[in-house]
Amino acid sequence: MASACDMKNRIQGHPCFGGNHHKNGRMHLAVAPQCNIKCGYCTRKHDCANESRPGVTSRLLTPQEAIVKVREVMASPVVGPIIKVIGIAGPGDPLANEQTFETFELVKKDFPHLMLCMSTNGLLLPESIDRLYEMGLHSLTVTINAVDPEVGAQIYRHVIYHGHHYTGVEGAQILIANQFEGLKRAAELGLTIKVNTVLVPGVNDDQVPLIAERVKKLGAFVMNIMPLIPQAELAHIEAPDEQRLAEVRKANEAIIGQFSHCKQCRADAIGLIGQDVTVGESACAVPTQG
Ligand code: CLF
Ligand code: SF4
């Protein structure tokens, strides 16, 4: 596990890990269409709610199209200098798509100075972490919404793992076990880790401190508690308001540092957090909401 000093050096410039987000930006590449689970708050028609604002359709890119896009953005005198991170965050789960690895390899070859960042639901993390590490992944986000499978069963409709379809507590159990196991191994390898937790009022409120404690102990660096965007099976649940969100973050900040500038970016966002830009024919013309 990395020391606090190593960690501080590693996050320099990463806008989602405490690097100056007014100065440093990220570019997401929407190359990962498939997902291996079904979160109750996801419509699957749009971006992954792990890291994106649902309701805005992305244009999928092939790895080749993605690297062309990166070259174009990095050549822009306005946007190029602010991009410090290349992230893959959907629209499905990056680890369920081989294109994720192909794309990172292409980016690494052309732009070795850019940080590679990925957000996953964690189902395939234990079996993918060595490959990600060897590829040079800098930072990892795992979305963890529950510690107890009984609660997870209220959030995840199904889990498809190694060709088998699991539902209810059984599915949640597999997912949650893999999330923590993958996170632990990522921390042992020295990756910089953030945990996203979608706050689903009335469902996982009491899980948040349990998640915070467990991931801190396993080596996560920061936690990002995000508000539920009510839709799909969880459309009937009211989103937590700003005040409630602030309370929950405050209640957990003594356990693990809290990231509070998240804008639930699209899977194809480019630029500073919350101030996305359009470059060429990018599908990121619609700015993210604050
Ligand atoms: Fe992208 Fe996510 Fe990497 Fe950041 S976003 S993959 S860690 S480079 Fe950042 Fe956007 Fe919030 Fe994500 S503001 S949704 S936390
Ligand atoms: Fe949707 Fe992401 Fe959940 Fe998959 S992991 S169901 S894409 S929110």
Side-chain angles (χ1 to χ4, degrees):
M1 207 181 292
S3 72
C5 186
D6 289 346
M7 200 53 88
K8 207 170 163 215
N9 289 334
R10 276 180 62 79
I11 58 153
Q12 289 285 343
H14 196 312
C16 311
F17 283 76
N20 187 341
H21 63 278
H22 298 296
K23 217 173 82 189
N24 303 303
R26 45 72 184 112
M27 175 174 186
H28 281 175
L29 300 173
V31 294
Q34 306 300 326
C35 191
N36 42 23
I37 69 172
K38 173 67 181 74
C39 302
Y41 47 71
C42 179
T43 64
R44 294 300 315 276
K45 286 194 278 265
H46 308 294
D47 291 338
C48 176
N50 275 336
E51 286 283 355
S52 39
R53 178 166 66 92
V56 181
T57 310
S58 301
R59 188 170 77 82
L60 274 175
L61 298 177
T62 65
Q64 283 303 334
E65 286 170 337
I67 189 64
V68 168
K69 190 85 227 161
V70 177
R71 288 185 195 127
E72 188 185 349
V73 167
M74 294 311 289
S76 153
V78 181
V79 193
I82 63 170
I83 299 296
K84 303 294 190 299
V85 180
I86 298 294
I88 300 183
D93 185 72
L95 293 179
N97 297 269
E98 188 59 27
Q99 298 93 308
T100 296
F101 297 92
E102 286 171 37
T103 305
F104 275 144
E105 290 293 356
L106 292 170
V107 173
K108 189 173 70 169
K109 199 158 145 259
D110 276 21
F111 301 96
H113 65 288
L114 293 176
M115 290 178 250
L116 304 181
C117 185
M118 194 193 77
S119 173
T120 175
N121 61 39
L123 180 66
L124 298 180
L125 200 49
E127 64 200 74
S128 310
I129 189 62
D130 290 334
R131 192 173 173 202
L132 291 169
Y133 174 74
E134 279 155 25
M135 201 192 59
L137 188 77
H138 172 277
S139 34
L140 173 74
T141 294
V142 190
T143 300
I144 303 180
N145 299 323
V147 164
D148 297 329
E150 290 73 18
V151 177
Q154 297 172 53
I155 298 174
Y156 307 111
R157 203 179 63 190
H158 68 239
V159 167
I160 299 169
Y161 186 50
H162 292 172
H164 296 280
H165 187 276
Y166 301 91
T167 55
V169 172
E170 194 185 14
Q173 214 156 21
I174 295 167
L175 176 65
I176 293 168
N178 283 9
Q179 289 171 334
F180 288 120
E181 173 61 20
L183 192 152
K184 174 172 166 278
R185 292 190 41 208
E188 286 165 356
L189 290 168
L191 267 77
T192 312
I193 303 163
K194 170 160 66 61
V195 168
N196 283 356
T197 297
V198 178
L199 180 62
V200 186
V203 175
N204 71 347
D205 312 66
D206 67 335
Q207 299 286 295
V208 180
L210 303 177
I211 298 167
E213 275 161 25
R214 184 109 167 244
V215 301
K216 174 69 183 175
K217 204 164 146 208
L218 294 176
F221 174 71
V222 71
M223 183 179 204
N224 173 22
I225 301 170
M226 312 163 89
L228 170 76
I229 299 174
Q231 56 178 6
E233 292 94 41
L234 299 181
H236 59 287
I237 295 180
E238 203 176 324
D241 61 19
E242 275 302 320
Q243 194 189 337
R244 174 71 184 136
L245 207 54
E247 275 168 21
V248 179
R249 286 176 179 151
K250 191 156 179 44
N252 288 280
E253 71 189 0
I255 307 172
I256 182 168
Q258 298 289 316
F259 178 64
S260 53
H261 305 292
C262 180
K263 299 293 183 202
Q264 293 174 282
C265 314
R266 299 160 46 108
D268 56 1
I270 304 175
L272 297 176
I273 293 173
Q275 299 174 37
D276 291 298
V277 296
T278 308
V279 177
E281 292 178 347
S282 167
C284 66
V286 182
T288 53
Q289 286 178 337

